[in-house]
Amino acid sequence: MNLDKLLATGDRCIHKEPPTCTANCPVHLEIIDFLAEIEQGNFQNAYKLMEKKMPFHKILGRICDHPCEAPCERSKAGGSIRISDLEKAVLEYGTYKPKKVWPLPKNKGKVAVVGGGLSGLTAAVDLDKKGCVVTIYEKTNRLGGRLWDFVGDSLTEEVLLQELKAVADKKMPIHFETTVDKNKLSELLATYDAVYLGTAAWEEEIKWNPLTFQANESALFVGGSLVNQSDSVIFSASSGRRAAISIERFLSKVSLTDSREREGAFETPLHFDISGKEPLAPILKSAAIYSQDEAMAEAKRCVKCQCRKCIEGCVHLRKFEMSPDAYIRQINHSERIILGTHYANKMINSCAECGLCKEECFLDISMSDVIHETRESMVERGKMPASAHDFALKDMAFSNSSRFSLVRKQPSKEESKDLFYYPLISFSDYVKGLYKGTGKTAYLFYPGCQLPASYPDDIKSIYEYLVGHVKGDVGIYLGCCGAPADWGGQKDLMNENIQAIKKVWAEMEHPTFILACSSCMRIFEKYLPEIKVESLWDIYVREGLPNKDHIKTPQTLSIHDACGTRENSDLHESVRKIVAKLGYGIEELEYTKEKTKCCGYGGLVYYANREQSNAFVSERIGESANDLLVYCAMCKDLFVSGGKRTYHLLDLIYPKDDGEAATRKMPTLSERHHNRSRVKQILLKEIWREEPEETMMEDQFKLIIPDDVRQKIEDRYILMEDIQAVLKNAEENNERFCNPETGEYLARLRRDNVTFWVKYEKEENDFILKSVYSHRMEIVEE
């Protein structure tokens, strides 16, 4: 894994970029933090932030021309935050006696500061703190310059004198009534190591570097009104501070320009969408200064500008409160650890890899891609937790085993000749399709593994429809596309699966695959671009729906688009055309089509972190009061398990009379295996007239399972065949422990890499399960 490339991706994230207010403040007061403290009534903490960032904060806090307010995003929804008034309130309610600061040794060099106004005083104080010997030259008989022009209601003479006294107390030599002209400046440059020129005007034009404030690459630095294009006091103070930084670097003989791109005001790359915020008007003052309650209310209007689109849309990022940049730093830290358990493992395996983060990010940062690459790296280095995706990978192996996998061409005319009689040949589209068979497979119906597991009785109906409506022979291919291996970062296993699909495709002479599963569509697009595919739902739109009485009670549905179809706008429209054709109304969800959310199954979150999966489910089903309509089997099963009435598109196309389709519970893990095997059995017997070589697995023991035990079986991903195998071994080989006091038995059996334990009672021919659990610990017997 290229960690440098990973970190470069994280650096592109603008989550931590400053808001427009801070970016336009030339001294970069951390305004979001400042307002957050005020909102909580912590005026002293807010005061400390002013003290830290703002030179002469007791003065500037009262007279600042607040360039931060005009670009405030809240101006688009009620009016800018009144930051200037809030600074005055903080000075009123948050002032405290500062701690004494011990000065640094004065060994950095000698600096002359020409001009005792705001910029000169800022430069002088900052250089004094940095360890320079500073001498001030002022042409009048007092410090302050044009600050005296601001004395009035906001800035009292008492406050100004107090701040100027603080400068005098630093014992810097001050030469009053000293005019510095061109000749005097030359003298100062010869006497001092550096000179700061902060006068209001100068007798000749000076060329200066706008980044460093250095004049002609000399020991002269300028600031204040000489460089400012306006009368802004905050920009004047900023120029003095920035010049002081340059002077210190100049004296230390280091680069004057490194890492200084964002000094002063700059354009932030932050993009913040305020369109969803309710307009709120500024809080009016009841007096000259906000009361504490008024200040807290005004600060609360701040929308805390941050780029959080990806976080707001993703329950996973919110759960771990991780922005992409922080997430990537955590992955980088985890990847560089050689030994030990990684804190980030659970977090990494809790991502659905649905891609919504990239869709929401205007910079196209994809945490799905980052996490997928990380999982591949973890697997390759042996750092993927063994339990994270184990069951899903075994489920995939089952689907690709002889118990489900099947490849067949369309039945030939010869094999189907007993069907070609009136009225079938006249009224059955399926029979017509068989009659027109050519022996060359033009299409291969690939239903995936989850649809047959949830809707086993519809696979035959869909296949017969396709044979009867699609021009060209239609074969069938049962199996798993490999999505579990892909999500689990198993590159080698994924490649094996892809090669197996390619082999079938080549042997069938390159047919078009008809896909019904959104995960299959994603996998084929990613790994098999050479194979032409069509969606089953697109075919229903093009060829017409099966001739059935579909709708009984019209209603409005909200469509949940499968995240695997995020970039398939044609499919989104096909689904909506089908729903409309069936007579249902549609009310779109907020996150729909290309911005759809995950149901909680994607990325194998369902197996790696059930709590996180449930959070995905809960959030999604809470977005609409309408019944949901989905076209992914796992979406349907998970939403119903979360208590939401949900229809699969097949529920509407092939309605059944066996109860309420919208509340039909998802099959258990064992039932899903059984359903897949049954689909293969049905197709072989009823379509190809073959007797299956492999019979359905029968239960040897009659089990009585209490509800709480049955739930544990599902939560622990234990199959009934695992339980049956444990009992068979216990009964036939007498490998069990018996508790004579309770009459209960405890038996175990290791299957592959998992040991299963079953506690049970026997009651004649019934086996009453008391507890079932499993682990990957190997028991060594001596």
Side-chain angles (χ1 to χ4, degrees), residues 56 59-60 63 116-118 121 143-151 155 160 164 233:
F56 295 99
I59 296 174
L60 282 176
I63 66 172
L118 179 57
L121 292 177
L143 296 177
R146 67 189 178 103
L147 289 177
W148 289 95
D149 297 338
F150 290 92
V151 171
L155 178 63
L160 179 56
L164 296 178
V233 291

Side-chain angles (χ1 to χ4, degrees), residues 535-709:
S535 163
L536 173 64
W537 318 116
D538 290 339
I539 291 176
Y540 277 133
V541 171
R542 186 180 71 233
E543 303 295 339
L545 295 173
N547 186 21
K548 290 180 177 288
D549 180 18
H550 304 287
I551 191 167
K552 294 179 174 62
T553 306
Q555 65 179 104
T556 297
L557 303 171
S558 289
I559 298 175
H560 164 79
D561 294 291
C563 55
T565 71
R566 186 177 306 283
E567 298 176 356
N568 195 333
S569 58
D570 291 340
L571 176 57
H572 298 156
E573 294 310 311
S574 290
V575 169
R576 283 155 179 78
K577 287 177 182 178
I578 292 172
V579 174
K581 181 70 173 177
L582 291 170
Y584 291 85
I586 299 172
E587 185 176 287
E588 296 289 358
L589 297 168
E590 178 183 357
Y591 288 88
T592 189
K593 299 180 181 179
E594 73 279 359
K595 292 186 181 294
T596 191
K597 293 184 178 181
C598 182
C599 68
Y601 185 79
L604 302 182
V605 180
Y606 180 79
Y607 299 103
N609 186 344
R610 185 68 67 84
E611 180 184 356
Q612 180 77 91
S613 176
N614 291 340
F616 275 105
V617 172
S618 178
E619 178 166 287
R620 190 56 163 161
I621 65 180
E623 291 182 34
S624 175
N626 300 323
D627 291 354
L628 294 181
L629 186 282
V630 302
Y631 44 98
C632 167
M634 291 311 301
C635 294
K636 159 71 186 286
D637 291 343
L638 288 182
F639 291 157
V640 172
S641 72
K644 183 68 172 179
R645 287 175 53 87
T646 306
Y647 292 97
H648 190 285
L649 202 46
L650 291 180
D651 292 324
L652 309 185
I653 296 174
Y654 298 102
K656 299 171 182 64
D657 297 324
D658 60 348
E660 176 56 68
T663 57
R664 189 180 300 120
K665 292 184 178 180
M666 69 185 298
T668 65
L669 299 172
S670 296
E671 288 169 347
R672 302 182 82 81
H673 277 204
H674 177 82
N675 287 345
R676 291 184 193 127
S677 294
R678 189 160 68 85
V679 165
K680 178 177 179 179
Q681 300 269 333
I682 291 172
L683 291 174
L684 287 176
K685 286 182 178 180
E686 300 182 17
I687 298 294
W688 281 274
R689 317 298 177 86
E690 297 179 21
E691 194 61 37
E693 294 180 5
E694 187 166 335
T695 59
M696 298 280 288
M697 181 172 289
E698 298 293 336
D699 293 339
Q700 184 173 350
F701 303 100
K702 183 180 177 182
L703 306 181
I704 298 176
I705 309 175
D707 290 342
D708 62 327
V709 177

Side-chain angles (χ1 to χ4, degrees), residues 155-172:
L155 178 63
T156 63
E157 183 174 341
E158 179 185 3
V159 169
L160 179 56
L161 288 173
Q162 182 184 19
E163 290 295 279
L164 296 178
K165 180 179 181 300
V167 175
D169 289 346
K170 293 183 179 295
K171 308 301 182 183
M172 291 182 286

Side-chain angles (χ1 to χ4, degrees), residues 410-413 416 419-438 463-474:
Q410 178 177 306
S412 66
K413 292 180 183 179
S416 310
L419 295 178
F420 300 143
Y421 63 88
Y422 187 83
L424 280 182
I425 198 168
S426 299
F427 297 105
S428 170
D429 290 329
Y430 170 62
V431 174
K432 290 178 184 177
L434 294 176
Y435 185 74
K436 296 176 181 178
T438 65
Y463 178 71
E464 290 180 340
Y465 168 88
L466 292 172
V467 171
H469 289 78
V470 174
K471 294 179 181 179
D473 285 17
V474 182

Side-chain angles (χ1 to χ4, degrees), residues 292-436:
Q292 292 193 31
D293 287 343
E294 289 169 344
M296 292 166 65
E298 176 62 14
K300 192 173 183 179
R301 293 177 58 241
C302 176
V303 292
K304 312 294 190 294
C305 299
Q306 275 188 317
C307 185
R308 292 180 57 88
K309 294 285 285 184
C310 59
I311 300 173
E312 290 169 358
C314 177
V315 66
H316 168 58
L317 292 178
R318 291 203 309 277
K319 166 68 176 178
F320 290 90
E321 193 49 41
M322 281 282 184
S323 58
D325 55 332
Y327 207 136
I328 286 173
R329 286 196 300 273
Q330 183 64 61
I331 290 174
N332 175 68
H333 176 69
S334 182
E335 283 288 289
R336 294 184 192 273
I337 294 175
I338 306 301
L339 299 174
T341 301
H342 293 197
Y343 160 77
N345 283 357
K346 184 173 183 179
M347 180 177 73
I348 291 165
N349 285 323
S350 298
C351 171
E353 292 192 24
C354 74
L356 177 58
C357 52
K358 181 180 180 181
E359 187 64 37
E360 291 284 61
C361 178
F362 78 98
L363 293 171
D364 288 337
I365 296 175
S366 173
M367 288 307 299
S368 173
D369 292 342
V370 168
I371 290 167
H372 184 77
E373 186 177 352
T374 302
R375 290 182 186 178
E376 289 181 338
S377 174
M378 291 169 66
V379 171
E380 186 176 5
R381 297 183 300 111
K383 297 299 181 181
M384 175 62 71
S387 61
H389 307 130
D390 184 67
F391 184 87
L393 295 174
K394 288 178 178 175
D395 193 53
M396 171 183 160
F398 173 90
S399 295
N400 286 329
S401 74
S402 60
R403 295 173 65 182
F404 175 60
S405 185
L406 173 72
V407 180
R408 286 291 185 276
K409 291 185 175 183
Q410 178 177 306
S412 66
K413 292 180 183 179
E414 182 63 27
E415 292 170 328
S416 310
K417 61 183 179 181
D418 59 328
L419 295 178
F420 300 143
Y421 63 88
Y422 187 83
L424 280 182
I425 198 168
S426 299
F427 297 105
S428 170
D429 290 329
Y430 170 62
V431 174
K432 290 178 184 177
L434 294 176
Y435 185 74
K436 296 176 181 178

Side-chain angles (χ1 to χ4, degrees), residues 211-229:
L211 180 63
T212 65
F213 298 88
Q214 185 183 30
N216 300 318
E217 299 184 0
S218 67
L220 177 64
F221 296 81
V222 297
S225 297
L226 290 179
V227 301
N228 288 335
Q229 300 298 314

Side-chain angles (χ1 to χ4, degrees), residues 451-512:
L451 192 66
S454 296
Y455 285 82
D457 297 321
D458 289 334
I459 302 303
K460 175 175 176 284
S461 298
I462 295 170
Y463 178 71
E464 290 180 340
Y465 168 88
L466 292 172
V467 171
H469 289 78
V470 174
K471 294 179 181 179
D473 285 17
V474 182
I476 197 165
Y477 181 7
L478 301 181
C480 177
C481 67
D486 182 51
W487 279 325
Q490 303 279 343
K491 288 194 290 186
D492 292 343
L493 183 58
M494 188 68 222
N495 184 60
E496 289 177 18
N497 210 72
I498 291 303
Q499 294 307 317
I501 295 174
K502 283 184 178 180
K503 184 173 182 291
V504 171
W505 178 61
E507 291 173 349
M508 287 289 194
E509 301 183 64
H510 305 151
T512 296

